[in-house]
């Protein structure tokens, strides 16, 4: 990341961060690749969980946990998560991201009426891509997956949308259908369709623009990591 000074983390700090962020204890005797994969699946889910339109909130579930409807909901929600987990457990590093995303998106449809809000009864393609692409990114960060630009997609969120706008890769002139109007003083992501609402065609438009602009000296995930970190720094400096 440019001339930024590299920080050397102690072993204890690395163990602490992996444990708190991923819920993965690297000191356990049976720690291994499957546990790393499961930790990556769980962390990637947490990255999108706040935008999933579940029928009941965690507070509601806690308050009415003895209610039959709530019990049925919790069981179906867990079944949904296990279904996606089963898909991701079997993913290979060479599997095409678009195929995995389509599988996750399709699997969610059978649960829509049981676990999602009536007026928002949909687990979107944008949500599916976040789960899949962040899972693949975390596997890459752990050194479990290599990154090839053909089969790997860039995880899309508001930080990446802001960064792509700043890089003039995703703008009103290039992808006008995605924008709600001319970008003003706020973040670009405030003027574009939310990543969690993207359908398959819209998502593919964004990915095509990304892949056409990958720097020659980077992979799609190393570039994403740099874009995301730089954007996070800008937002901190601007008081977000």
């Amino acid at each position: 990341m440019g001339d930024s000074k590299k920080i050397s983390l102690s072993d204890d700090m690395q163990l602490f961060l992996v444990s708190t962020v991923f819920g993965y204890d690297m000191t356990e005797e049976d720690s291994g690749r499957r546990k790393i994969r499961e930790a990556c699946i769980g962390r990637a889910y947490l990255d999108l969980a706040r935008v999933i339109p579940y029928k009941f909130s965690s507070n509601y579930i806690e308050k009415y946990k003895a209610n039959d409807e709530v019990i049925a909901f919790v069981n179906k929600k867990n079944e949904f998560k296990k279904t996606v987990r089963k898909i991701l457990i079997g993913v290979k590093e060479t599997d095409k991201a678009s195929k995995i995303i389509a599988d996750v998106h399709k699997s969610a449809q059978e649960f829509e009426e049981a676990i999602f809000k009536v007026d928002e009864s949909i687990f979107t393609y944008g949500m599916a891509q976040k789960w899949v692409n962040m899972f693949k990114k975390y596997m890459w960060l752990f050194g479990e997956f290599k990154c090839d630009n053909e089969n790997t997609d860039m995880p899309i969120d508001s930080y990446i949308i802001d960064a792509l706008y700043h890089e003039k890769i995703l703008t009103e002139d290039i992808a006008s259908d995605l924008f709600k109007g001319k970008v003003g003083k706020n973040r670009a992501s405030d003027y574009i369709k939310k990543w969690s609402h993207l359908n398959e065609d819209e998502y593919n438009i964004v990915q095509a623009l990304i892949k056409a602009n990958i720097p020659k000296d980077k992979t799609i995930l190393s570039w994403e990591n740099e874009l995301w970190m730089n954007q996070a720094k800008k937002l901190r400096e601007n008081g977000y």
Side-chain angles (χ1 to χ4, degrees), residues 7-21:
I7 300 174
S8 179
L9 298 179
S10 68
D11 289 345
D12 285 342
M13 176 59 84
Q14 291 182 55
L15 290 172
F16 172 76
L17 290 175
V18 170
S19 177
T20 54
V21 176

Side-chain angles (χ1 to χ4, degrees), residues 171-183:
T171 66
E172 306 97 317
D173 295 334
I174 296 171
S176 59
D177 289 346
L178 296 179
F179 284 82
K180 294 178 279 189
K182 191 72 175 174
V183 173

Side-chain angles (χ1 to χ4, degrees), residues 44 47-48 50-51 101 124-135 137 152-165 169-170 178 187 189 192-200 202-211 220-221 223-224 227-228:
D47 288 340
L48 81 139
R50 64 180 178 80
V51 301
I101 296 167
T124 66
Y125 201 88
M127 295 174 192
Q129 69 83 22
K130 181 80 170 194
W131 201 341
V132 172
N133 290 333
M134 288 306 297
F135 161 70
K137 176 181 177 177
T152 306
D153 284 0
M154 183 179 285
I156 305 297
D157 64 8
S158 62
Y159 281 29
I160 291 300
I161 288 172
D162 289 337
L164 294 174
Y165 185 84
I169 293 169
L170 180 65
L178 296 179
R187 295 172 59 187
S189 54
I192 194 172
K193 191 170 185 179
K194 293 183 182 300
W195 63 265
S196 58
H197 293 176
L198 294 175
N199 61 36
E200 183 175 0
E202 293 164 339
Y203 170 79
N204 287 335
I205 289 171
V206 178
Q207 286 297 331
L209 291 170
I210 290 169
K211 294 194 175 188
I220 195 168
L221 289 182
W223 187 36
E224 184 272 351
L227 290 173
W228 198 96

Side-chain angles (χ1 to χ4, degrees), residues 31-50:
S31 292
R33 286 197 162 91
R34 186 179 179 90
K35 283 204 168 185
I36 291 175
R37 183 176 288 251
E38 289 175 342
C40 292
I41 293 170
R43 179 64 248 182
Y45 170 77
L46 292 178
D47 288 340
L48 81 139
R50 64 180 178 80

Side-chain angles (χ1 to χ4, degrees), residues 24-84:
Y24 172 58
D25 187 350
M26 297 173 67
T27 65
E28 290 183 354
E29 290 185 7
D30 61 344
S31 292
R33 286 197 162 91
R34 186 179 179 90
K35 283 204 168 185
I36 291 175
R37 183 176 288 251
E38 289 175 342
C40 292
I41 293 170
R43 179 64 248 182
Y45 170 77
L46 292 178
D47 288 340
L48 81 139
R50 64 180 178 80
V51 301
I52 300 177
Y54 283 128
K55 186 182 294 185
F56 300 129
S57 68
S58 297
N59 289 338
Y60 187 92
I61 292 170
E62 180 61 29
K63 186 175 182 179
Y64 299 103
K65 55 188 174 184
N67 180 278
D68 288 344
E69 187 179 6
V70 171
I71 293 171
F73 164 79
V74 171
N75 289 337
K76 276 294 184 181
K77 178 182 176 181
N78 288 336
E79 186 182 343
F80 162 60
K81 292 165 68 176
K82 286 179 182 177
T83 298
V84 177

Side-chain angles (χ1 to χ4, degrees), residues 159 162 166 185-188 230-240:
Y159 281 29
D162 289 337
H166 178 75
K185 295 181 180 179
N186 297 329
R187 295 172 59 187
N230 286 340
Q231 188 60 31
K233 181 181 178 181
K234 287 179 183 176
L235 291 175
R236 287 195 303 271
E237 290 173 347
N238 290 327
Y240 280 92

